[in-house]
Amino acid sequence: MTGTKIFSLAGEGAWTPTPDGNRRRVLLHTDELMMVEFGFDKGGVGALHSHSHVQASYVAEGRFEVTIDGRTEILETGSSFIVPSNLVHGVRALEAGRLVDSFTPHRADFLD
C-alpha cells in the first residue's frame, strides 16, 4: 500500500467549484474507492444525473431533499443513503450543508 494516502485531516484539500454551482473536495481515493465532501449553500441543487458508480452518502450537516429513482425523502444531519449503479438521483439543499459521498470504483472525472 506504499504511496497510497490513507488518512485525510480536517480541512485538508482545496474546494473545487462544481458545474452546478456547489463545491467539492476529494478527501481520499484508491482505484476501488473514493471519498468526496460536497458543500451546498441553501437552495443549492445537485442536478438529477446517473453514473455507473455505486454511491453511499452521509449528511454531515444540513437538510437535503434527496431524490433517487423517482422517490424523494427529506434527510437531515446524521442520515445517509445509497444510490445503486445507474439510478437517476439528485439533491436540493433545504439549508446550507455538506454531504460526504463514497464512490466505488473511484470517480476519475473528479481527479482532473
Side-chain angles (χ1 to χ4, degrees):
M1 194 156 205
T2 304
T4 299
K5 183 177 175 183
I6 59 172
F7 296 101
S8 176
L9 302 179
E12 260 186 346
W15 288 101
T16 301
T18 61
D20 50 16
N22 303 300
R23 60 200 173 280
R24 74 170 172 250
R25 63 177 161 191
V26 174
L27 302 174
L28 296 167
H29 70 90
T30 66
D31 288 344
E32 299 86 11
L33 183 64
M34 173 180 268
M35 185 179 288
V36 181
E37 182 178 14
F38 287 85
F40 294 82
D41 294 329
K42 182 178 180 177
V45 173
L48 290 172
H49 65 286
S50 66
H51 44 72
S52 61
H53 312 82
V54 175
Q55 174 180 333
S57 300
Y58 175 77
V59 181
E61 180 180 50
R63 287 181 57 236
F64 290 85
E65 180 182 88
V66 179
T67 301
I68 304 169
D69 197 31
R71 180 177 171 190
T72 300
E73 295 282 340
I74 304 298
L75 300 180
E76 59 187 34
T77 301
S79 301
S80 55
F81 58 95
I82 288 181
V83 182
S85 182
N86 298 312
L87 287 189
V88 174
H89 60 285
V91 301
R92 183 170 60 93
L94 301 177
E95 56 190 51
R98 295 178 298 116
L99 298 175
V100 177
D101 294 353
S102 295
F103 299 95
T104 183
H106 78 277
R107 296 280 306 257
D109 55 321
F110 287 179
L111 297 176
D112 296 335

